[in-house]
Amino acid sequence: MPDAKCIFVPTPKYLKEVNNAGDDVLSLHAASKQMFMPRYTMHGFNWHNQRGKEGLGLIRALRGLSTAHLPSMILPLMTTISHQMTREIASEEKINGVPHSAVYPMIQHIVAKLNSSIFFGHEASHDPVFLEAAVEYIEYVVRTAEVLRLLPNFLLPLVGKILSSRDKTQEKVFHVLYSIVEQRLEAKSMESTFHPNADRPNDCVQWIIDYTSPKTNPWSAERIVHEVMALWFGALHALSMSLTYATFDLCVHSEYVEPLRQELEGPEYLKFLETAQGLPLLDSFIKESARLTPFEAVSVRRRALKKFVFSDGTCVEKDDWTLTPLQAINHDEKIYPRAMEFNGFRFANVKSENGNAVVQPQGPSKFVDPSETWHFWGSGKVTCPGRFYSTVVIKLIMSHILLNYDIELADKEASRSWIWRTTRTPRADAKVVFRPRSKQTL
């Protein structure tokens, strides 16, 4: 962080102290506000340093509703993945008749298509102009916030206004979503519009309107759009990068392809399609990829809204940050035996015939479950509410690739990522060769 003093929290003991501190003392919301500058990057969304009760209700509702609806989402998501990936690969450069796909942009577009249907519904998800703006918007937020955080506070309004006026992506995204939300609010106000047997919209926008907007002082259309824009950024940004690195690892560690395919061609896959849970080998592979190549080197960011003192006397002054050294923890030999080796099934505790596989001493664990040493989703009461949905999407896309394509890196020596401060971003020009399997399945 160029604009804050950071204090690293290296052990579970002190992490527990962070999690036990109220959000009026150590606040994730305040850290996110300082990091992403939503007033200038999210159409004027100047959120508070603490989430109010209605904000916490939003998080709980989204976690519960998205998880409850996951099994019914599987088939539509699979269909969209199949169609969109076929389209994306067909549009890529071909060398000797074989597509060479720029993986990160391709996955961004696939995830945007999936997320838009879950977030905004059919109309927006089938609008190619909106989808392109929604993908570009992610880069706009990252780029603009990075510039603004380098400036003194008195320059922020001027420079923020100039940067916003030069890039129209947030305007495009806002106005499309505002129109959708206005129509939904108008429909809700007309009691006769939704009949008991009518098809009520089943997406994030509708969940916010129905379950999280306060009854006594309902959110305006603008407030709902602001919340959705913030959720959209988090969902697309993190999910796309994690999927891209898992795809790279599938190319680099091709010895895992066959056992993963065997899992997908057996009863575990059917169980996953019915319940949105399972696939322990694929789950472990994805978690190992995220462990060795996390897109962020730090996690559990908190900004101090008032002075905080750890039990050992370490003082966190107002406006200082606390965070955990995610990458260092992930690479710690005391936690992960042979930590710098890629062992795709270490979290499933599958032992190889030659005894070379590494298993975790504490036993199997899941990608989706946070722990005192697994901070990918955050920690404490404010872990990512969309982690169950994100995990299902990653598994569906990885399953589709494994079942339908043989893949390899177009250039095994080329760099596949670049690092700026704490973020490791996939290179947009890193390409993967996609060859259709002779025997294809969905």
Side-chain angles (χ1 to χ4, degrees):
M1 290 293 300
D3 52 349
K5 177 183 176 182
C6 296
I7 296 171
F8 285 97
V9 182
T11 66
K13 173 185 175 182
Y14 298 115
L15 177 61
K16 186 176 181 179
E17 294 180 24
V18 169
N19 289 334
N20 287 339
D23 70 344
D24 60 332
V25 181
L26 298 177
S27 172
L28 168 63
H29 213 49
S32 299
K33 180 179 178 180
Q34 185 175 343
M35 189 170 182
F36 298 118
M37 298 285 179
R39 182 177 180 182
Y40 308 105
T41 63
M42 298 181 185
H43 206 272
F45 189 12
N46 194 27
W47 65 55
H48 299 295
N49 284 331
Q50 297 173 244
R51 266 210 179 275
K53 290 183 179 179
E54 77 280 4
L56 292 174
L58 167 66
I59 297 302
R60 293 191 191 103
L62 291 179
R63 180 187 295 125
L65 287 165
S66 63
T67 304
H69 285 96
L70 275 177
S72 64
M73 294 178 186
I74 295 285
L75 185 57
L77 289 173
M78 288 177 66
T79 302
T80 301
I81 290 168
S82 179
H83 291 166
Q84 193 68 19
M85 185 166 286
T86 299
R87 183 180 303 170
E88 292 287 334
I89 292 174
S91 68
E92 295 285 357
E93 174 192 17
K94 292 181 176 61
I95 299 177
N96 297 324
V98 180
H100 286 51
S101 301
V103 175
Y104 185 42
M106 181 185 81
I107 285 179
Q108 280 185 310
H109 285 98
I110 294 170
V111 173
K113 183 74 171 179
L114 296 172
N115 285 2
S116 62
S117 63
I118 301 299
F119 274 61
F120 320 128
H122 179 84
E123 182 180 348
S125 67
H126 286 75
D127 180 346
V129 176
F130 168 76
L131 285 178
E132 192 61 38
V135 172
E136 292 175 1
Y137 172 66
I138 304 303
E139 301 303 320
Y140 166 78
V141 172
V142 173
R143 183 176 62 248
T144 303
E146 191 64 42
V147 171
L148 294 176
R149 282 162 49 205
L150 296 172
L151 301 176
N153 287 336
F154 74 90
L155 283 177
L156 290 179
L158 174 62
V159 178
K161 185 176 181 180
I162 292 172
L163 293 177
S164 297
S165 67
R166 288 187 173 185
D167 192 308
K168 300 299 183 183
T169 55
Q170 67 170 321
E171 289 288 336
K172 292 177 184 176
V173 171
F174 179 87
H175 287 299
V176 169
L177 297 183
Y178 190 86
S179 175
I180 292 172
V181 172
E182 270 201 321
Q183 292 174 20
R184 301 283 186 89
L185 289 174
E186 183 179 354
K188 185 175 176 64
S189 69
M190 300 169 62
E191 295 295 332
S192 61
T193 299
F194 290 123
H195 298 285
N197 296 324
D199 289 331
R200 194 180 190 85
N202 184 25
D203 52 43
C204 184
V205 167
Q206 196 65 42
W207 297 342
I208 292 174
I209 292 171
D210 288 345
Y211 301 109
T212 68
S213 182
K215 305 298 181 184
T216 55
N217 186 25
W219 287 348
S220 66
E222 182 180 47
R223 171 64 189 275
I224 292 172
V225 172
H226 282 159
E227 292 285 356
V228 172
M229 288 176 72
L231 290 167
W232 172 261
F233 171 79
L236 181 58
H237 186 55
L239 184 50
S240 297
M241 288 198 283
S242 299
L243 257 168
T244 300
Y245 287 127
T247 304
F248 288 153
D249 282 325
L250 199 60
C251 294
V252 174
H253 306 284
S254 58
E255 67 272 19
Y256 290 96
V257 169
E258 282 310 310
L260 288 172
R261 282 175 174 166
Q262 289 173 17
E263 180 180 64
L264 294 172
E265 291 166 352
E268 273 291 333
Y269 189 53
L270 296 177
K271 174 186 172 184
F272 169 70
L273 297 182
E274 292 173 358
T275 66
Q277 298 179 38
L279 297 177
L281 297 186
L282 182 58
D283 188 274
S284 178
F285 184 93
I286 294 165
K287 185 172 181 178
E288 179 72 343
S289 174
R291 182 188 71 82
L292 271 177
T293 52
F295 60 85
E296 275 285 347
V298 299
S299 185
V300 197
R301 292 178 171 90
R302 303 287 188 269
R303 178 183 168 189
L305 300 183
K306 59 182 72 170
K307 184 176 178 179
F308 175 79
V309 181
F310 284 98
S311 60
D312 69 345
T314 300
C315 183
V316 184
E317 299 291 348
K318 183 178 182 295
D319 294 328
D320 288 350
W321 283 39
T322 64
L323 33 77
T324 60
L326 174 69
Q327 182 169 288
I329 292 171
N330 287 356
H331 296 172
D332 188 343
E333 292 278 348
K334 296 177 183 177
I335 302 172
Y336 302 104
R338 286 156 51 186
M340 298 313 295
E341 295 181 19
F342 187 97
N343 284 275
F345 298 155
R346 75 161 65 229
F347 299 108
N349 276 14
V350 174
K351 297 182 179 180
S352 65
E353 293 180 2
N354 58 17
N356 288 332
V358 173
V359 295
Q360 289 300 109
Q362 62 269 39
S365 61
K366 296 179 182 178
F367 176 55
V368 76
D369 291 337
S371 74
E372 61 183 19
T373 56
W374 181 246
H375 305 164
F376 183 86
W377 306 104
S379 181
K381 292 178 280 189
V382 285
T383 51
C384 173
R387 65 187 186 275
F388 298 97
Y389 166 77
S390 296
T391 299
V392 166
V393 168
I394 293 175
K395 289 180 180 179
L396 284 172
I397 293 178
M398 292 293 288
S399 297
H400 184 79
I401 292 173
L402 281 159
L403 291 172
N404 292 278
Y405 298 96
D406 292 318
I407 62 174
E408 63 178 324
L409 295 171
D411 184 347
K412 294 178 176 59
E413 304 302 321
S415 172
R416 297 188 290 276
S417 63
W418 59 279
I419 296 173
W420 176 252
R421 294 204 177 97
T422 64
T423 304
R424 180 194 300 270
T425 303
R427 290 183 62 95
D429 58 355
K431 294 188 176 183
V432 167
V433 179
F434 283 79
R435 290 186 176 88
R437 289 181 71 196
S438 56
K439 177 183 178 182
Q440 291 191 11
T441 61
L442 184 63

